[in-house]
Amino acid sequence: MRVLRFSIGVGAVLFFALACGGGGAATNAPATGSTATQLVDGELPVTCGASVAAAQTEVAIANNAFDPSSVTVAVGAIVSWTNNDSTDHTVTFDASPDCDRVLGGESIASTFNAAGSDAYHCRIHPSMTGTVVVQ
Ligand SMILES: [Cu+2]
């Protein structure tokens, strides 16, 4: 604490800030076993490029439509999209990111990092829309 005592006023403010910071960190510590729902700094609510095999929820793409058009998943869940059409489609989130093309006959998957409602569409066929509700 000697370093902080260059001025009584500044020292008191620093001491107050340190005391508050320590108390806040302790109170805000997540309960044991709970799932973290806060995004890491700079992390998007959706991350593209997850393992299709690891997906817990599957959305089919057929006849220029997402089926089902709305799914509800838990925070941290992986959702896959399988394109059963012969034409390409995209899974593009309205807010971001754009998870790019799903070639005909292929699959992609994304991870949902935060609670909320993530609307998406196909960039090539704007009438194709869907929503992932994350709880
Ligand atoms: Cu499309």
Side-chain angles (χ1 to χ4, degrees), residues 76-126:
I78 295 174
V79 177
S80 70
W81 284 263
T82 297
N83 183 0
N84 297 311
D85 286 339
S86 55
T87 183
D88 295 356
H89 296 292
T90 76
V91 175
T92 303
F93 289 88
D94 294 7
S96 79
D98 182 354
C99 292
D100 213 353
R101 283 177 190 251
V102 195
L103 305 180
E106 298 201 347
S107 302
I108 65 163
S110 301
T111 308
F112 291 82
N113 306 312
S117 183
D118 299 302
Y120 65 93
H121 61 277
C122 172
R123 220 181 331 114
I124 304 164
H125 311 100

Short mmCIF file of all heavy atoms in Angstrom, two decimals, residues 76-126:
data_model
loop_
_atom_site.label_atom_id
_atom_site.label_comp_id
_atom_site.label_asym_id
_atom_site.label_seq_id
_atom_site.Cartn_x
_atom_site.Cartn_y
_atom_site.Cartn_z
N GLY A 76 -25.01 -22.83 -25.49
CA GLY A 76 -23.89 -23.74 -25.73
C GLY A 76 -24.21 -24.85 -26.71
O GLY A 76 -23.32 -25.61 -27.09
N ALA A 77 -25.47 -24.94 -27.15
CA ALA A 77 -25.88 -26.02 -28.04
C ALA A 77 -25.33 -25.80 -29.45
O ALA A 77 -25.04 -24.68 -29.87
CB ALA A 77 -27.40 -26.11 -28.10
N ILE A 78 -25.21 -26.92 -30.17
CA ILE A 78 -24.80 -26.90 -31.58
C ILE A 78 -26.00 -27.30 -32.43
O ILE A 78 -26.69 -28.28 -32.12
CB ILE A 78 -23.62 -27.88 -31.82
CG1 ILE A 78 -22.38 -27.40 -31.05
CG2 ILE A 78 -23.31 -28.00 -33.31
CD1 ILE A 78 -21.21 -28.37 -31.11
N VAL A 79 -26.26 -26.52 -33.46
CA VAL A 79 -27.35 -26.80 -34.40
C VAL A 79 -26.74 -27.04 -35.77
O VAL A 79 -25.82 -26.33 -36.18
CB VAL A 79 -28.34 -25.61 -34.47
CG1 VAL A 79 -29.43 -25.87 -35.51
CG2 VAL A 79 -28.96 -25.32 -33.10
N SER A 80 -27.25 -28.07 -36.47
CA SER A 80 -26.76 -28.33 -37.83
C SER A 80 -27.85 -28.04 -38.85
O SER A 80 -29.04 -28.10 -38.55
CB SER A 80 -26.30 -29.79 -37.96
OG SER A 80 -27.42 -30.66 -37.93
N TRP A 81 -27.41 -27.70 -40.06
CA TRP A 81 -28.30 -27.50 -41.21
C TRP A 81 -27.85 -28.44 -42.31
O TRP A 81 -26.66 -28.42 -42.70
CB TRP A 81 -28.23 -26.06 -41.72
CG TRP A 81 -28.96 -25.08 -40.86
CD1 TRP A 81 -30.23 -24.60 -41.05
CD2 TRP A 81 -28.49 -24.43 -39.68
NE1 TRP A 81 -30.56 -23.71 -40.05
CE2 TRP A 81 -29.51 -23.60 -39.20
CE3 TRP A 81 -27.28 -24.50 -38.96
CZ2 TRP A 81 -29.38 -22.82 -38.05
CZ3 TRP A 81 -27.14 -23.74 -37.81
CH2 TRP A 81 -28.19 -22.91 -37.38
N THR A 82 -28.76 -29.26 -42.81
CA THR A 82 -28.44 -30.17 -43.90
C THR A 82 -29.25 -29.77 -45.13
O THR A 82 -30.48 -29.71 -45.07
CB THR A 82 -28.74 -31.63 -43.50
OG1 THR A 82 -27.90 -31.98 -42.41
CG2 THR A 82 -28.48 -32.57 -44.67
N ASN A 83 -28.54 -29.48 -46.20
CA ASN A 83 -29.18 -29.01 -47.42
C ASN A 83 -29.55 -30.20 -48.30
O ASN A 83 -28.69 -30.83 -48.92
CB ASN A 83 -28.23 -28.06 -48.15
CG ASN A 83 -28.86 -27.49 -49.40
OD1 ASN A 83 -30.00 -27.79 -49.73
ND2 ASN A 83 -28.10 -26.66 -50.09
N ASN A 84 -30.84 -30.51 -48.36
CA ASN A 84 -31.32 -31.62 -49.18
C ASN A 84 -31.68 -31.18 -50.60
O ASN A 84 -32.07 -32.02 -51.42
CB ASN A 84 -32.55 -32.26 -48.51
CG ASN A 84 -32.21 -32.86 -47.16
OD1 ASN A 84 -31.23 -33.60 -47.02
ND2 ASN A 84 -32.97 -32.51 -46.14
N ASP A 85 -31.56 -29.88 -50.88
CA ASP A 85 -31.81 -29.39 -52.24
C ASP A 85 -30.56 -29.58 -53.09
O ASP A 85 -29.45 -29.77 -52.56
CB ASP A 85 -32.20 -27.91 -52.21
CG ASP A 85 -33.61 -27.68 -51.68
OD1 ASP A 85 -34.43 -28.63 -51.72
OD2 ASP A 85 -33.89 -26.55 -51.24
N SER A 86 -30.73 -29.50 -54.39
CA SER A 86 -29.55 -29.60 -55.27
C SER A 86 -28.89 -28.24 -55.46
O SER A 86 -27.75 -28.15 -55.90
CB SER A 86 -29.97 -30.19 -56.62
OG SER A 86 -31.01 -29.41 -57.16
N THR A 87 -29.61 -27.18 -55.09
CA THR A 87 -29.05 -25.82 -55.21
C THR A 87 -28.42 -25.39 -53.88
O THR A 87 -28.77 -25.93 -52.83
CB THR A 87 -30.18 -24.83 -55.61
OG1 THR A 87 -29.59 -23.54 -55.78
CG2 THR A 87 -31.25 -24.73 -54.55
N ASP A 88 -27.50 -24.44 -53.92
CA ASP A 88 -26.85 -23.96 -52.70
C ASP A 88 -27.78 -23.03 -51.91
O ASP A 88 -28.62 -22.34 -52.48
CB ASP A 88 -25.58 -23.17 -53.04
CG ASP A 88 -24.51 -24.04 -53.69
OD1 ASP A 88 -24.73 -25.27 -53.81
OD2 ASP A 88 -23.46 -23.49 -54.07
N HIS A 89 -27.60 -23.03 -50.58
CA HIS A 89 -28.28 -22.08 -49.71
C HIS A 89 -27.23 -21.54 -48.75
O HIS A 89 -26.11 -22.06 -48.68
CB HIS A 89 -29.41 -22.76 -48.93
CG HIS A 89 -30.51 -23.27 -49.80
ND1 HIS A 89 -31.34 -22.44 -50.52
CD2 HIS A 89 -30.91 -24.53 -50.09
CE1 HIS A 89 -32.21 -23.18 -51.21
NE2 HIS A 89 -31.97 -24.46 -50.97
N THR A 90 -27.61 -20.48 -47.98
CA THR A 90 -26.71 -19.99 -46.94
C THR A 90 -27.46 -19.95 -45.62
O THR A 90 -28.70 -19.89 -45.59
CB THR A 90 -26.17 -18.57 -47.23
OG1 THR A 90 -27.19 -17.60 -46.97
CG2 THR A 90 -25.65 -18.44 -48.65
N VAL A 91 -26.69 -19.99 -44.53
CA VAL A 91 -27.24 -19.76 -43.19
C VAL A 91 -26.59 -18.46 -42.73
O VAL A 91 -25.43 -18.44 -42.31
CB VAL A 91 -26.94 -20.92 -42.25
CG1 VAL A 91 -27.41 -20.60 -40.83
CG2 VAL A 91 -27.61 -22.20 -42.76
N THR A 92 -27.34 -17.36 -42.89
CA THR A 92 -26.82 -16.01 -42.64
C THR A 92 -27.63 -15.37 -41.52
O THR A 92 -28.83 -15.14 -41.69
CB THR A 92 -26.92 -15.16 -43.92
OG1 THR A 92 -26.21 -15.83 -44.97
CG2 THR A 92 -26.36 -13.77 -43.71
N PHE A 93 -26.99 -15.11 -40.39
CA PHE A 93 -27.71 -14.53 -39.26
C PHE A 93 -27.92 -13.04 -39.51
O PHE A 93 -27.02 -12.34 -39.98
CB PHE A 93 -26.97 -14.82 -37.95
CG PHE A 93 -27.09 -16.27 -37.61
CD1 PHE A 93 -26.16 -17.19 -38.09
CD2 PHE A 93 -28.18 -16.73 -36.89
CE1 PHE A 93 -26.30 -18.54 -37.84
CE2 PHE A 93 -28.33 -18.09 -36.63
CZ PHE A 93 -27.38 -18.99 -37.11
N ASP A 94 -29.13 -12.56 -39.20
CA ASP A 94 -29.49 -11.17 -39.49
C ASP A 94 -28.53 -10.21 -38.79
O ASP A 94 -28.13 -9.19 -39.35
CB ASP A 94 -30.93 -10.89 -39.03
CG ASP A 94 -31.94 -11.70 -39.85
OD1 ASP A 94 -31.53 -12.55 -40.66
OD2 ASP A 94 -33.15 -11.49 -39.65
N ALA A 95 -28.16 -10.53 -37.53
CA ALA A 95 -27.26 -9.66 -36.78
C ALA A 95 -25.81 -9.93 -37.16
O ALA A 95 -25.02 -9.00 -37.26
CB ALA A 95 -27.46 -9.87 -35.29
N SER A 96 -25.44 -11.14 -37.38
CA SER A 96 -24.14 -11.69 -37.72
C SER A 96 -23.96 -12.97 -36.91
O SER A 96 -24.60 -13.08 -35.88
CB SER A 96 -22.95 -10.74 -37.46
OG SER A 96 -22.62 -10.75 -36.08
N PRO A 97 -23.16 -13.87 -37.35
CA PRO A 97 -22.32 -13.86 -38.55
C PRO A 97 -23.03 -14.48 -39.75
O PRO A 97 -24.17 -14.95 -39.65
CB PRO A 97 -21.16 -14.76 -38.11
CG PRO A 97 -21.82 -15.78 -37.24
CD PRO A 97 -22.91 -15.04 -36.51
N ASP A 98 -22.34 -14.45 -40.90
CA ASP A 98 -22.79 -15.16 -42.09
C ASP A 98 -22.04 -16.49 -42.12
O ASP A 98 -20.82 -16.51 -42.32
CB ASP A 98 -22.47 -14.34 -43.33
CG ASP A 98 -22.97 -15.00 -44.61
OD1 ASP A 98 -23.46 -16.15 -44.55
OD2 ASP A 98 -22.87 -14.36 -45.67
N CYS A 99 -22.77 -17.59 -41.88
CA CYS A 99 -22.09 -18.89 -41.81
C CYS A 99 -21.89 -19.50 -43.20
O CYS A 99 -21.53 -20.66 -43.33
CB CYS A 99 -22.84 -19.83 -40.88
SG CYS A 99 -22.73 -19.28 -39.15
N ASP A 100 -22.16 -18.70 -44.24
CA ASP A 100 -21.78 -19.03 -45.62
C ASP A 100 -22.64 -20.12 -46.25
O ASP A 100 -23.66 -20.52 -45.71
CB ASP A 100 -20.30 -19.38 -45.70
CG ASP A 100 -19.69 -18.95 -47.02
OD1 ASP A 100 -20.44 -18.51 -47.93
OD2 ASP A 100 -18.46 -19.05 -47.15
N ARG A 101 -22.19 -20.61 -47.38
CA ARG A 101 -22.99 -21.53 -48.18
C ARG A 101 -23.06 -22.93 -47.60
O ARG A 101 -22.08 -23.42 -47.04
CB ARG A 101 -22.40 -21.64 -49.60
CG ARG A 101 -22.73 -20.46 -50.46
CD ARG A 101 -22.06 -20.56 -51.81
NE ARG A 101 -22.21 -19.29 -52.50
CZ ARG A 101 -23.02 -19.12 -53.55
NH1 ARG A 101 -23.70 -20.12 -54.07
NH2 ARG A 101 -23.13 -17.94 -54.12
N VAL A 102 -24.24 -23.54 -47.79
CA VAL A 102 -24.37 -24.97 -47.57
C VAL A 102 -24.61 -25.55 -48.95
O VAL A 102 -25.66 -25.32 -49.55
CB VAL A 102 -25.58 -25.32 -46.66
CG1 VAL A 102 -25.45 -26.75 -46.16
CG2 VAL A 102 -25.70 -24.34 -45.52
N LEU A 103 -23.63 -26.24 -49.47
CA LEU A 103 -23.75 -26.80 -50.81
C LEU A 103 -24.83 -27.87 -50.80
O LEU A 103 -25.12 -28.49 -49.77
CB LEU A 103 -22.41 -27.41 -51.25
CG LEU A 103 -21.20 -26.47 -51.20
CD1 LEU A 103 -19.95 -27.20 -51.67
CD2 LEU A 103 -21.44 -25.22 -52.03
N GLY A 104 -25.44 -28.08 -51.98
CA GLY A 104 -26.46 -29.13 -52.10
C GLY A 104 -25.93 -30.46 -51.61
O GLY A 104 -24.83 -30.87 -51.98
N GLY A 105 -26.67 -31.10 -50.69
CA GLY A 105 -26.28 -32.40 -50.16
C GLY A 105 -25.32 -32.33 -48.99
O GLY A 105 -24.98 -33.36 -48.41
N GLU A 106 -24.91 -31.12 -48.58
CA GLU A 106 -23.94 -31.01 -47.49
C GLU A 106 -24.55 -30.39 -46.24
O GLU A 106 -25.69 -29.92 -46.25
CB GLU A 106 -22.72 -30.21 -47.96
CG GLU A 106 -22.02 -30.93 -49.11
CD GLU A 106 -20.59 -30.50 -49.30
OE1 GLU A 106 -20.18 -29.48 -48.71
OE2 GLU A 106 -19.87 -31.19 -50.05
N SER A 107 -23.76 -30.39 -45.14
CA SER A 107 -24.23 -29.88 -43.86
C SER A 107 -23.21 -28.91 -43.27
O SER A 107 -22.01 -29.02 -43.53
CB SER A 107 -24.42 -31.03 -42.85
OG SER A 107 -25.33 -31.99 -43.34
N ILE A 108 -23.72 -27.97 -42.46
CA ILE A 108 -22.86 -27.12 -41.64
C ILE A 108 -23.46 -27.10 -40.23
O ILE A 108 -24.60 -27.54 -40.03
CB ILE A 108 -22.76 -25.67 -42.17
CG1 ILE A 108 -24.11 -24.97 -42.11
CG2 ILE A 108 -22.16 -25.63 -43.56
CD1 ILE A 108 -24.01 -23.45 -42.22
N ALA A 109 -22.70 -26.60 -39.26
CA ALA A 109 -23.21 -26.50 -37.89
C ALA A 109 -22.66 -25.25 -37.23
O ALA A 109 -21.58 -24.76 -37.58
CB ALA A 109 -22.82 -27.74 -37.08
N SER A 110 -23.43 -24.72 -36.26
CA SER A 110 -23.05 -23.51 -35.54
C SER A 110 -23.30 -23.70 -34.05
O SER A 110 -24.19 -24.46 -33.65
CB SER A 110 -23.85 -22.31 -36.03
OG SER A 110 -23.64 -22.12 -37.41
N THR A 111 -22.53 -22.98 -33.25
CA THR A 111 -22.68 -23.02 -31.80
C THR A 111 -23.36 -21.75 -31.33
O THR A 111 -23.03 -20.65 -31.80
CB THR A 111 -21.29 -23.13 -31.13
OG1 THR A 111 -20.58 -24.22 -31.72
CG2 THR A 111 -21.42 -23.36 -29.63
N PHE A 112 -24.29 -21.88 -30.37
CA PHE A 112 -25.05 -20.73 -29.86
C PHE A 112 -24.57 -20.40 -28.45
O PHE A 112 -24.74 -21.18 -27.52
CB PHE A 112 -26.55 -21.04 -29.94
CG PHE A 112 -26.97 -21.08 -31.38
CD1 PHE A 112 -26.77 -22.24 -32.13
CD2 PHE A 112 -27.45 -19.96 -32.01
CE1 PHE A 112 -27.07 -22.27 -33.48
CE2 PHE A 112 -27.75 -19.97 -33.37
CZ PHE A 112 -27.56 -21.12 -34.09
N ASN A 113 -23.91 -19.22 -28.34
CA ASN A 113 -23.15 -18.90 -27.14
C ASN A 113 -23.90 -18.09 -26.10
O ASN A 113 -23.40 -17.93 -24.98
CB ASN A 113 -21.90 -18.10 -27.55
CG ASN A 113 -21.09 -18.83 -28.61
OD1 ASN A 113 -20.81 -20.01 -28.48
ND2 ASN A 113 -20.73 -18.13 -29.68
N ALA A 114 -25.06 -17.56 -26.45
CA ALA A 114 -25.74 -16.67 -25.50
C ALA A 114 -27.25 -16.78 -25.67
O ALA A 114 -27.75 -17.06 -26.77
CB ALA A 114 -25.31 -15.23 -25.73
N ALA A 115 -27.96 -16.55 -24.58
CA ALA A 115 -29.42 -16.59 -24.63
C ALA A 115 -29.93 -15.46 -25.51
O ALA A 115 -29.34 -14.38 -25.56
CB ALA A 115 -29.99 -16.46 -23.22
N GLY A 116 -31.04 -15.73 -26.22
CA GLY A 116 -31.62 -14.72 -27.09
C GLY A 116 -32.29 -15.38 -28.27
O GLY A 116 -32.44 -16.60 -28.32
N SER A 117 -32.68 -14.57 -29.24
CA SER A 117 -33.34 -15.06 -30.44
C SER A 117 -32.49 -14.67 -31.64
O SER A 117 -32.24 -13.49 -31.87
CB SER A 117 -34.74 -14.45 -30.54
OG SER A 117 -35.41 -14.99 -31.66
N ASP A 118 -32.00 -15.68 -32.37
CA ASP A 118 -31.10 -15.42 -33.50
C ASP A 118 -31.83 -15.72 -34.81
O ASP A 118 -31.97 -16.88 -35.20
CB ASP A 118 -29.84 -16.29 -33.37
CG ASP A 118 -29.07 -15.97 -32.09
OD1 ASP A 118 -28.69 -14.80 -31.92
OD2 ASP A 118 -28.87 -16.88 -31.27
N ALA A 119 -32.30 -14.66 -35.46
CA ALA A 119 -32.99 -14.81 -36.74
C ALA A 119 -31.95 -14.98 -37.85
O ALA A 119 -30.88 -14.37 -37.80
CB ALA A 119 -33.86 -13.60 -37.01
N TYR A 120 -32.28 -15.80 -38.84
CA TYR A 120 -31.36 -16.00 -39.96
C TYR A 120 -32.14 -16.15 -41.25
O TYR A 120 -33.36 -16.30 -41.25
CB TYR A 120 -30.44 -17.21 -39.71
CG TYR A 120 -31.14 -18.55 -39.65
CD1 TYR A 120 -31.27 -19.34 -40.78
CD2 TYR A 120 -31.66 -19.02 -38.45
CE1 TYR A 120 -31.89 -20.58 -40.74
CE2 TYR A 120 -32.30 -20.26 -38.39
CZ TYR A 120 -32.41 -21.03 -39.53
OH TYR A 120 -33.05 -22.25 -39.47
N HIS A 121 -31.42 -16.09 -42.36
CA HIS A 121 -32.04 -16.19 -43.67
C HIS A 121 -31.05 -16.79 -44.65
O HIS A 121 -29.87 -16.97 -44.33
CB HIS A 121 -32.52 -14.80 -44.15
CG HIS A 121 -31.40 -13.81 -44.29
ND1 HIS A 121 -30.91 -13.09 -43.21
CD2 HIS A 121 -30.64 -13.45 -45.36
CE1 HIS A 121 -29.91 -12.32 -43.62
NE2 HIS A 121 -29.72 -12.51 -44.92
N CYS A 122 -31.52 -17.06 -45.87
CA CYS A 122 -30.62 -17.47 -46.95
C CYS A 122 -30.33 -16.23 -47.80
O CYS A 122 -31.23 -15.55 -48.26
CB CYS A 122 -31.29 -18.55 -47.80
SG CYS A 122 -30.34 -18.94 -49.29
N ARG A 123 -29.05 -15.95 -47.97
CA ARG A 123 -28.63 -14.78 -48.74
C ARG A 123 -29.05 -14.88 -50.21
O ARG A 123 -29.28 -13.88 -50.88
CB ARG A 123 -27.10 -14.69 -48.65
CG ARG A 123 -26.55 -13.32 -48.49
CD ARG A 123 -25.02 -13.28 -48.43
NE ARG A 123 -24.31 -14.42 -47.91
CZ ARG A 123 -23.49 -15.18 -48.65
NH1 ARG A 123 -23.33 -14.94 -49.92
NH2 ARG A 123 -22.83 -16.17 -48.07
N ILE A 124 -29.13 -16.12 -50.71
CA ILE A 124 -29.45 -16.32 -52.13
C ILE A 124 -30.97 -16.25 -52.35
O ILE A 124 -31.43 -15.79 -53.38
CB ILE A 124 -28.90 -17.69 -52.59
CG1 ILE A 124 -27.39 -17.76 -52.32
CG2 ILE A 124 -29.21 -17.94 -54.07
CD1 ILE A 124 -26.81 -19.16 -52.36
N HIS A 125 -31.72 -16.74 -51.36
CA HIS A 125 -33.18 -16.75 -51.44
C HIS A 125 -33.73 -16.04 -50.20
O HIS A 125 -34.01 -16.70 -49.18
CB HIS A 125 -33.71 -18.19 -51.50
CG HIS A 125 -33.01 -19.05 -52.51
ND1 HIS A 125 -32.02 -19.95 -52.18
CD2 HIS A 125 -33.15 -19.12 -53.86
CE1 HIS A 125 -31.58 -20.56 -53.29
NE2 HIS A 125 -32.24 -20.06 -54.31
N PRO A 126 -33.86 -14.71 -50.24
CA PRO A 126 -34.23 -13.94 -49.03
C PRO A 126 -35.57 -14.35 -48.41
O PRO A 126 -35.81 -14.03 -47.24
CB PRO A 126 -34.29 -12.50 -49.55
CG PRO A 126 -33.45 -12.50 -50.78
CD PRO A 126 -33.60 -13.86 -51.39
#
